[in-house]
Amino acid sequence: MRKFLLFTLLGGLPFCAFSQHYFHTGFWTRVALNAKLTPKLNLMGEVGMRRQNNLHHLSPIENPQTSNVKFTLTYQFKHLNVILSPYENIYSYQLLGKDADLSVPRLHELRFSGGLEYVKAWTKSRLQFRNVYEYRKFDAITRYRNRTRLLSRFTLSSKTLMTLYDEVFINLPPNRLPNAFNQNRLSCTFTHSITPHFDVEAGYVYVLAERFTLSEYDHTNGLILYLMFKL
């Protein structure tokens, strides 16, 4: 047991001692409209914005680091959902951890994604395992990425839910980036139904992202506020 603990501690030394870490705080907001087209087919449109505290001297609500518009179709089977996002338009700036990041121009990205989600429901809880493949078109190049998410949702009351999830992003070929690992997101949120047609979701997200250098990492601690309108 002592040897195992020593190996674990020593194994983490290169990550801590030989890499550069940048820490950020943020505020993530989203307004979404959810519509059931048929009993099994669902359409969601959303507008989102992430505001970032960059270089530790800007307000987390001063400038948007990312803004996006997205549409998602979901077709529901008994234990399986088919997910397709045919359109997502994103404008984003580099996460600012050092002065050199200020010279990186804003990126424009068009994203298309699709995948499957396994769903298992119990009386007061729900487990969802999702795997999505993303095609990302930038102005000068295309990128490819896989997103795997494990989500658990718990019913706290007739109007309140708690959601926990972990989502891992992996860069894929072709045009593969130097880093295979892209980022990992951990989140805890609470959703409250104000009316049958309006939900408010608030919580916390932690994001660990690896830069192309393979020795620089961004750590983001963010507050979440999502508004959902249901037709």
Side-chain angles (χ1 to χ4, degrees), residues 52-64:
Q52 203 76 30
N53 177 341
N54 303 314
L55 296 175
H56 302 279
H57 67 267
L58 298 179
S59 165
I61 61 173
E62 182 175 351
N63 292 311

Side-chain angles (χ1 to χ4, degrees), residues 2-49:
R2 291 180 180 178
K3 290 183 179 180
F4 175 77
L5 292 175
L6 180 61
F7 176 81
T8 302
L9 291 173
L10 292 178
L13 284 178
F15 177 79
C16 297
F18 301 109
S19 56
Q20 181 66 46
H21 298 264
Y22 308 109
F23 295 88
H24 315 272
T25 57
F27 184 52
W28 294 22
T29 57
R30 181 181 70 180
V31 178
L33 180 63
N34 193 41
K36 270 195 170 296
L37 304 181
T38 71
K40 292 187 176 183
L41 182 61
N42 192 78
L43 172 65
M44 185 170 70
E46 60 184 86
V47 177
M49 185 175 294

Side-chain angles (χ1 to χ4, degrees), residues 1-123:
M1 184 63 181
R2 291 180 180 178
K3 290 183 179 180
F4 175 77
L5 292 175
L6 180 61
F7 176 81
T8 302
L9 291 173
L10 292 178
L13 284 178
F15 177 79
C16 297
F18 301 109
S19 56
Q20 181 66 46
H21 298 264
Y22 308 109
F23 295 88
H24 315 272
T25 57
F27 184 52
W28 294 22
T29 57
R30 181 181 70 180
V31 178
L33 180 63
N34 193 41
K36 270 195 170 296
L37 304 181
T38 71
K40 292 187 176 183
L41 182 61
N42 192 78
L43 172 65
M44 185 170 70
E46 60 184 86
V47 177
M49 185 175 294
R50 300 179 199 167
R51 297 182 181 272
Q52 203 76 30
N53 177 341
N54 303 314
L55 296 175
H56 302 279
H57 67 267
L58 298 179
S59 165
I61 61 173
E62 182 175 351
N63 292 311
Q65 186 262 330
T66 299
S67 56
N68 76 297
V69 176
K70 182 179 182 180
F71 294 95
T72 302
L73 289 163
T74 304
Y75 191 85
Q76 302 172 337
F77 294 94
K78 184 176 181 180
H79 293 294
L80 192 68
N81 294 333
V82 178
I83 302 163
L84 177 65
S85 295
Y87 176 81
E88 185 173 5
N89 192 19
I90 306 168
Y91 290 93
S92 60
Y93 286 97
Q94 170 73 36
L95 281 170
L96 299 184
K98 54 185 179 179
D99 291 333
D101 293 336
L102 292 168
S103 63
V104 179
R106 184 178 71 166
L107 293 176
H108 177 219
E109 176 186 354
L110 289 174
R111 185 181 299 177
F112 312 92
S113 61
L116 298 174
E117 180 178 61
Y118 172 78
V119 180
K120 177 65 175 178
W122 293 274
T123 304

